[in-house]
Amino acid sequence: MTLKLYYASGACSFVPHSMLELAGATFEPMLVKLHKNEQNSPEYRAINPRGQVPALVHEGQVITQILALVTYIDGLFPENAFIPREPLARARFVEALAWMNNTVHPTFTHIFMPHKFTDDEAAQKAIQAHARAQYPALLDELQERVRAAHAGGQDWLGGAHCGPLDTYALTLTRWGSLAGIDPAQRALLWTHVQRTAQVPAVARAIERERLQLNLYRPATESAP
C-alpha cells in the first residue's frame, strides 16, 4: 500500500495524520509549509488545485477534504473501527465530525484569516472580532460533548478508542489558545485534549509537526 499525506503543521491535516499513526500505517509524510506559501506552488497545485491541505495520495488517486479522508482511512483500516458501524452511532459520529469541520473550523478561519472574506481592513477587524466572540461558545459545546461521552461510559468522543473526533477536538482547542482563549478555562475539555496528546500514536504526529499544545499568552498589564 502506497500512501502519501500532504500536511501542514498545526492545520486540520493533523486529524488524518494522527489517524494514519493510530492505524500503524506505513505512509510518507509530506510537509507543506503554509508560511512559505508552498500550498500555492505549481508542484502542490498539481496535486490539489485548491491549494489546501490535507491531501492524501493512494495508488495514484488524490483524496482531499477532512470528511472524505476520515472515511477513506477508516475504510482502509477497518480493524481500527475509527467510525462506529452501528447506524445511529455512525450517524452521531458523522454529525459531530461535520459540526467540527463545517462550523467550528470556519469560525476560526474568520479569526485567523479574515483577509479571505474581504479586502477592507476595517471589515477584516470586524469579522475577526465577531468570530472571536463566537468561538468560546463553540468550545463550550465541545466540552459538553466530552462530558456527554464520559457520562455515557465512553472514554473517547468516537467510542472505545482515541480517534479523529478526539484529534480534531485537540486541534480546535489548540487554535482557541492561539486566538487568546485559555484552554484551562474548560478543565474537562483541556484534560481530554492533554490525554489525547499522550496517546503514543498521537504523540508521534505532534512530535513530527513540532506542535506546542497550548499557545495561550495572557495579556500583559499596561505599564503605569
Side-chain angles (χ1 to χ4, degrees), residues 4-45:
K4 186 180 291 188
L5 177 70
Y6 290 85
Y7 73 97
S9 293
C12 65
S13 51
F14 182 76
V15 177
H17 187 180
S18 298
M19 285 182 74
L20 291 172
E21 288 288 354
L22 287 163
T26 299
F27 68 100
E28 186 177 358
M30 303 294 294
L31 176 61
V32 179
K33 297 177 181 178
L34 302 184
H35 66 283
K36 292 189 176 181
N37 203 36
E38 290 181 353
Q39 70 275 22
N40 290 315
S41 68
E43 294 80 8
Y44 188 68
R45 288 279 184 167

Side-chain angles (χ1 to χ4, degrees), residues 67 93-104 106 165 168:
L67 270 69
F93 175 95
V94 174
E95 181 180 62
L97 181 63
W99 172 76
M100 291 179 182
N101 190 236
N102 298 341
T103 300
V104 191
L165 295 184
Y168 216 154

